[in-house]
Amino acid sequence: MRVYAEFFCKGLKMDVSSFVLLSHEQALRRQLDVAANNMANVSTPGYKREQALFHEYVEAAQEGPVEDARRTSYVLDYGAVHDISQGAFQATGNPLDIMIEGPGYLNVEMADGSTGYTRVGFVKVLESGELATSGGQRLLDENGRPLAVAVDQLALVKITSDGTVMAGEEPVGRLAVTGFADENLLEVRGDGLLTGAGGTVLAAAQTKLRTGGVEASNVEPISETTHMVEILRSYQTSQRLSADLADMRRRAIDRLSKLG
C-alpha cells in the first residue's frame, strides 16, 4: 500500500480521493479474507480467531490548494493478530486428550528437530511407547526430551492436571507447557502448530490441564457473521462514494467544456 501511495502522490497528479477509497477497499477485502478464514475454522480444535490490523499512512505533499490538502491519509495493511482467549472444552472420550486451561502451549518435536508449540491436545501413544499428537509429532518433557512409556504399561497411562504422565503409580515425566509474553509473535505453521522464541516452561503449579477432551475454536459464528455483514456494508458505502466522485468529475468536465 505504501508503494501505491508514493506512486500516486509523488508521480502522477491525479485525483487523490479515488486512491484513498482504493486503499480503504483493499483494507476491507483483507478484513473479509480474515473473517472468511475464521468462519472456515469455526470447528477446528485449538484455532484462535484472527483479526486484521491496519495503520494509517500519511503522505505529505509539497503543494496543495490549501494547507489541509497537503496531507493525505491512506490505510496500510499491517498484518493480523490472534485473539488468544480460551475456547470451550470439547469432550472426545479419549482420557489421554488434554486441554490447557489458561496460558501456555504443549511442546512438540518438529520434523527438523526443532521445538514447536500447539494447543491442540489430541494425544496418542506410538508403537514405541512415546506420546505424540494426532499428527505424529512427539510430545516433549520439561528437558526437551520425548516422553516414553514401557510397552507393558501402555494400558495404565494417564495424565494428571499438572501435566505429569503416569504409568500406573509411577511418574514417567511431565509434559512441558511453555508460556510466551507476547503470543502474537509466534509464527503459524499449519495443523495447529506454531514456532517462536522467547518462551518459558511453566512450573507444575502454573500448569492446569483438563483430560478427556480438547480446546475448541474460539470463533463465535454469530459475531463473525455480523462482522462480515458490516464489512460488506462498508464496501458498498465506499463504492457509492466512488460513483459519486466519478459523477462529480463528469459534471465538472461538462461545465468546463461549455465555458470553453
Side-chain angles (χ1 to χ4, degrees):
M1 192 64 246
R2 180 171 183 171
V3 174
Y4 289 142
E6 291 178 351
F7 175 76
F8 290 141
C9 292
K10 294 182 179 179
L12 302 177
K13 292 185 178 180
M14 302 176 69
D15 188 356
V16 176
S17 57
S18 296
F19 302 121
V20 172
L21 285 174
L22 176 60
S23 74
H24 179 236
E25 289 170 8
Q26 286 180 324
L28 290 173
R29 178 179 177 180
R30 167 66 171 159
Q31 282 186 301
L32 189 60
D33 288 343
V34 171
N37 184 61
N38 288 337
M39 286 296 292
N41 286 280
V42 70
S43 299
T44 303
Y47 179 80
K48 298 298 184 183
R49 177 182 177 272
E50 286 188 320
Q51 182 175 346
L53 183 64
F54 301 97
H55 277 191
E56 180 185 32
Y57 173 71
V58 179
E59 176 66 33
Q62 295 182 352
E63 299 179 358
V66 293
E67 181 67 26
D68 290 343
R70 296 180 184 180
R71 294 171 60 84
T72 306
S73 177
Y74 295 88
V75 182
L76 179 65
D77 184 359
Y78 195 72
V81 294
H82 288 88
D83 175 5
I84 61 175
S85 61
Q86 185 171 294
F89 180 75
Q90 180 178 315
T92 62
N94 179 7
L96 290 183
D97 287 343
I98 51 179
M99 168 182 165
I100 301 174
E101 294 189 321
Y105 294 83
L106 297 170
N107 293 15
V108 299
E109 184 181 60
M110 302 290 282
D112 60 0
S114 62
T115 300
Y117 306 96
T118 184
R119 284 184 68 93
V120 184
F122 291 112
V123 178
K124 65 180 181 180
V125 182
L126 303 177
E127 293 182 0
S128 61
E130 294 171 317
L131 272 62
T133 66
S134 57
Q137 294 85 16
R138 296 188 297 179
L139 290 164
L140 304 177
D141 65 12
E142 298 169 293
N143 299 310
R145 295 191 296 262
L147 282 158
V149 179
V151 177
D152 60 348
Q153 297 287 311
L154 295 183
L156 304 176
V157 177
K158 64 179 181 180
I159 301 173
T160 65
S161 62
D162 68 354
T164 301
V165 178
M166 305 290 293
E169 299 300 323
E170 295 296 325
V172 176
R174 197 174 77 87
L175 291 169
V177 177
T178 299
F180 294 86
D182 186 355
E183 297 184 19
N184 284 305
L185 297 179
L186 292 171
E187 182 179 351
V188 178
R189 292 300 182 91
D191 294 328
L193 297 172
L194 304 97
T195 56
T200 302
V201 176
L202 303 179
Q206 299 173 292
T207 304
K208 187 178 181 182
L209 304 182
R210 184 175 177 182
T211 58
V214 296
E215 181 181 3
S217 168
N218 68 352
V219 176
E220 294 289 344
I222 295 178
S223 298
E224 208 64 38
T225 301
T226 302
H227 182 50
M228 293 178 73
V229 171
E230 292 173 348
I231 294 171
L232 290 173
R233 287 177 177 171
S234 295
Y235 185 81
Q236 291 170 348
T237 300
S238 182
Q239 287 287 290
R240 286 195 295 270
L241 286 172
S242 181
D244 290 344
L245 284 171
D247 185 58
M248 182 178 64
R249 284 193 293 267
R250 185 167 52 252
R251 291 198 307 269
I253 292 173
D254 289 342
R255 292 177 181 177
L256 286 173
S257 64
K258 291 176 182 179
L259 289 174

